[in-house]
Amino acid sequence: MLHGGYLLTILIFFPAAASLALLLLRADDHEWIRRLALTIALVEFVFSLLLIPRVQIGVAGYQIEEFAHWISAPPINYHVGVDGISVFLVILTTFLTAVSVLASWKIEHRVKEFFVMLLVLEVGVVGVFLALDLFLFFLFWEVMLIPMALLIGIWGHERRIYAAVKFILYTMAGSILMLVGIIWLYNVTGTFDLPKIQQVLQAGGVALTHQQETLLFLAFFFAFAIKVPLFPLHTWLPDAHVEAPTAGSVILAGVLLKMGTYGMIRFCLPLFPNASRHAAPWVATLAIIGIIYGALVALVQPNLKKLVAYSSVSHLGFVVLGIFAFQNISMQGAVFQMLAHGISTGALFLLVGMLYDRRHTFEISEFGGLATPMPKFAAFFLFIALSSLGLPMLNGFVGEFLILLGTFLTRVSWATWAATGVILSACYLLWSYQRVFFGELTNEKNRKLPDASLREKSILAVMAIITLWMGIGSPFFTRRVAASSQNVLDQMQRQFPQEARTQPASSPLDGPAPVAAAELGGHLSLAPTAMLERTAIAARVIPGLTASAGSARDLRLSLRSGHQRRGNNSTERFNSAR
């Protein structure tokens, strides 16, 4: 074992081991099953919080690792680790699992099996975020698939079987491609260990041809793009969300979708930098289409739960765009947006599920005027909707702003098109809120609906507090993510010594880039410098950019020194000519 003891192993396997205690209880002892499941989820959440003091600010790389030999031939090891990117995703997983258990208190059908599936699902997701062996990563990736499909297929709604089968087929299609890529990488490098593979490729010990790198990139990328999901691979998501139980939708939107974007950061960029840069314009185009398309489809949805599902397609498009902008600021924004989306969209699915428990319908036309009988519930819904649309001081604003700022530094047109998604998100969220909660009570069934119960208010209050805290205290996250984000970009530099030196190829949405990438006399010509001055000022003023201010300042100073050197060279040549 390396430093870290057994904390990561406990985090991964504690829910599975503790769920065995659930199997010892009688199937009809629903109350004790619920209490024990909640206790297990809360203990797991407390364990995950122990990771925070061990992840130091400004330190890149894996700060806690555990290693043990597993299989000798082929060499497969139990290797897990955590860095600034994965630590908060693990905490998000354990937190939302505890919230999902509490939100599922009224489940009456196969109660024991339901909570066992939730805990086993937690094992797979936490394992994915911590695995540093490719075979182990793939194993946890598949472990996640089974309980999620069962949650949809057994405890879902009318078309649950169709949605579960569609979810399995899409995910398995991506898994097969990823497995091929993993085996190919092993044949090339002779190891499944991710850090070793990164070292070998970065040091040039193994040189992939352009065709090999492109095919490997596509194998991993399509698996992750399906999970995100990235347009046009998103069609499984609305069905899965609408048919899944409330807890399934919360975990699916809050955590499972982030496995795709996490995979892009952890695998696609550092392992295949050339292919990532060549694919960046097309990936950015698909991300921007997803942002706008998801928002437009959400705008016309008559089904409230499907509206929230399509909003996920739009918001995850921002994350993908931030990743493939190849800027530290946008990378930090992408990670923060993953966390913010998990909280805000998870809370929206909780709210929609609470409405369904009262009316057993998701149709917006069946509601209207609910603010009169349910004023507290309406207030919580408005607060979460405002966070999802990116209101400043709430969590949704910080991530989107960082992403757009970093994307603007890479290409103005990408940021311009993506910004329209922010406007559209305000349209569909506020319009849906108006139709559900304002106006006259046209349906008599809505007149006597009960307001939020004590259990529901407790859940929503915790979600609202975290939403506000993330918006105000964003440096708590970005300062811990910054070094790991820069480390990912540094791992891409083995064939690109300076990130700004090579701009991505043009895409269908491209306009004039804000930074010219021409090399003149061995120096980098960049314009306009005034834009970078404003970026540095924004980084100092806005709390969410505190961790990125240094990088912006360094970039500005390097540009000034570059201009000064060019000026000195010109003066020397002029004097020589005289």
Side-chain angles (χ1 to χ4, degrees):
M1 290 286 178
L2 299 178
H3 59 285
Y6 296 90
L7 178 58
L8 301 184
T9 299
I10 293 172
L11 271 173
I12 294 173
F13 296 107
F14 173 75
S19 64
L20 296 177
L22 288 175
L23 301 178
L24 300 178
L25 297 176
R26 293 188 318 176
D28 59 349
D29 197 356
H30 294 173
E31 193 65 25
W32 276 105
I33 291 173
R34 296 186 184 105
R35 291 176 182 176
L36 182 56
L38 180 60
T39 302
I40 295 170
L42 289 175
V43 171
E44 174 78 353
F45 174 60
V46 172
F47 282 149
S48 68
L49 293 179
L50 299 177
L51 294 174
I52 295 179
R54 302 194 180 198
V55 177
Q56 301 177 17
I57 297 174
V59 178
Y62 304 107
Q63 302 188 41
I64 307 175
E65 289 185 69
E66 296 176 20
F67 182 90
H69 294 290
W70 184 14
I71 301 174
S72 57
I76 298 173
N77 302 308
Y78 174 78
H79 190 186
V80 293
V82 66
D83 65 352
I85 294 175
S86 58
V87 59
F88 290 115
L89 293 173
V90 172
I91 295 173
L92 177 67
T93 303
T94 58
F95 171 73
L96 289 181
T97 301
V99 169
S100 299
V101 171
L102 191 57
S104 306
W105 214 253
K106 292 186 178 181
I107 291 288
E108 297 292 341
H109 176 61
R110 296 180 178 269
V111 178
K112 182 193 296 187
E113 292 85 349
F114 178 85
F115 289 113
V116 169
M117 288 299 105
L118 266 183
L119 295 175
V120 173
L121 177 61
E122 185 178 23
V123 171
V125 177
V126 172
V128 164
F129 291 139
L130 296 180
L132 296 182
D133 184 276
L134 294 184
F135 183 87
L136 192 65
F137 176 85
F138 182 79
L139 179 64
F140 283 125
W141 185 277
E142 295 304 303
V143 168
M144 167 277 307
L145 173 64
I146 299 171
M148 189 68 236
L150 292 177
L151 284 172
I152 298 173
I154 298 176
W155 292 276
H157 303 298
E158 291 79 7
R159 301 173 71 240
R160 57 185 179 272
I161 302 299
Y162 168 78
V165 171
K166 195 172 184 180
F167 169 76
I168 291 175
L169 291 178
Y170 269 79
T171 307
M172 286 300 296
S175 298
I176 292 172
L177 290 173
M178 182 168 61
L179 179 60
V180 172
I182 290 173
I183 296 173
W184 193 345
L185 266 182
Y186 167 71
N187 288 329
V188 172
T189 62
T191 180
F192 287 105
D193 194 75
L194 178 60
K196 289 183 180 178
I197 294 174
Q198 290 174 340
Q199 292 173 5
V200 168
L201 293 177
Q202 190 171 12
V206 173
L208 298 175
T209 66
H210 175 71
Q211 183 181 21
Q212 287 176 331
E213 184 172 343
T214 301
L215 292 176
L216 283 168
F217 169 82
L218 292 176
F220 281 89
F221 177 78
F222 275 112
F224 299 140
I226 290 172
K227 182 61 68 179
V228 170
L230 185 66
F231 177 91
L233 305 171
H234 66 283
T235 56
W236 65 270
L237 182 66
D239 293 313
H241 268 313
V242 172
E243 301 306 324
T246 299
S249 294
V250 171
I251 296 297
L252 181 60
V255 180
L256 262 63
L257 305 187
K258 313 308 182 298
M259 292 166 55
T261 49
Y262 171 80
M264 293 178 185
I265 296 174
R266 184 68 76 209
F267 295 91
C268 291
L269 268 60
L271 296 182
F272 319 114
N274 290 346
S276 297
R277 289 185 177 275
H278 282 95
W282 300 103
V283 175
T285 300
L286 293 177
I288 293 169
I289 292 174
I291 292 170
I292 299 174
Y293 169 81
L296 290 175
V297 175
L299 190 63
V300 299
Q301 278 302 316
N303 185 298
L304 187 58
K305 197 173 188 183
K306 191 171 285 189
L307 181 150
V308 180
Y310 275 106
S311 74
S312 293
V313 177
S314 181
H315 286 125
L316 268 296
F318 277 102
V319 177
V320 175
L321 181 64
I323 293 171
F324 281 85
F326 305 129
Q327 299 284 347
N328 195 340
I329 296 176
S330 63
M331 188 77 72
Q332 292 178 55
V335 176
F336 191 93
Q337 181 68 2
M338 286 191 265
L339 304 175
H341 177 266
I343 297 297
S344 59
T345 304
L348 283 176
F349 277 115
L350 287 172
L351 289 159
V352 173
M354 293 171 187
L355 277 180
Y356 183 85
D357 291 339
R358 290 162 169 78
R359 283 298 320 276
H360 301 288
T361 182
F362 296 120
E363 296 300 315
I364 296 177
S365 60
E366 292 293 320
F367 301 112
L370 295 187
T372 301
M374 307 171 65
K376 297 177 182 177
F377 184 88
F380 278 118
F381 202 111
L382 178 60
F383 186 85
I384 299 300
L386 291 175
S387 74
S388 183
L389 63 84
L391 185 72
M393 300 293 288
L394 300 180
N395 60 358
F397 170 76
V398 177
E400 290 182 354
F401 181 81
L402 289 173
I403 290 170
L404 291 176
L405 180 59
T407 304
F408 185 86
L409 294 175
T410 299
R411 200 166 294 277
V412 174
S413 58
W414 295 358
T416 303
W417 282 99
T420 60
V422 180
I423 302 171
L424 292 173
S425 65
C427 295
Y428 66 73
L429 283 169
L430 293 179
W431 188 35
S432 64
Y433 184 84
Q434 178 190 23
R435 288 179 290 166
V436 172
F437 291 97
F438 292 160
E440 297 293 331
L441 275 167
T442 57
N443 194 323
E444 289 299 319
K445 295 180 181 179
N446 298 330
R447 196 171 297 277
K448 295 183 179 180
L449 290 180
D451 205 348
S453 65
L454 178 61
R455 176 180 60 87
E456 292 170 337
K457 284 188 288 187
S458 300
I459 296 172
L460 296 175
V462 171
M463 301 293 276
I465 291 171
I466 294 176
T467 296
L468 181 61
W469 174 58
M470 290 181 67
I472 297 175
S474 56
F476 178 83
F477 301 90
T478 56
R479 291 170 65 195
R480 288 166 172 80
V481 171
S484 297
S485 299
Q486 186 59 48
N487 187 48
V488 172
L489 296 175
D490 291 342
Q491 290 172 344
M492 297 181 64
Q493 303 308 315
R494 56 179 179 267
Q495 295 183 16
F496 294 87
Q498 298 181 26
E499 178 186 347
R501 205 159 195 166
T502 303
Q503 291 294 323
S506 60
S507 76
L509 296 177
D510 285 349
V515 180
E519 291 187 39
L520 299 177
H523 298 284
L524 182 64
S525 176
L526 296 167
T529 308
M531 179 194 67
L532 297 173
E533 294 279 354
R534 291 194 296 271
T535 301
I537 294 173
R540 290 195 297 270
V541 174
I542 298 174
L545 294 179
T546 302
S548 304
S551 59
R553 204 158 42 238
D554 294 341
L555 179 57
R556 188 180 69 251
L557 293 174
S558 66
L559 293 177
R560 285 179 175 174
S561 63
H563 288 307
Q564 186 176 3
R565 286 194 303 270
R566 285 196 298 276
N568 294 337
N569 292 339
S570 299
T571 303
E572 292 174 0
R573 288 194 297 268
F574 178 72
N575 292 332
S576 299
R578 293 181 61 186

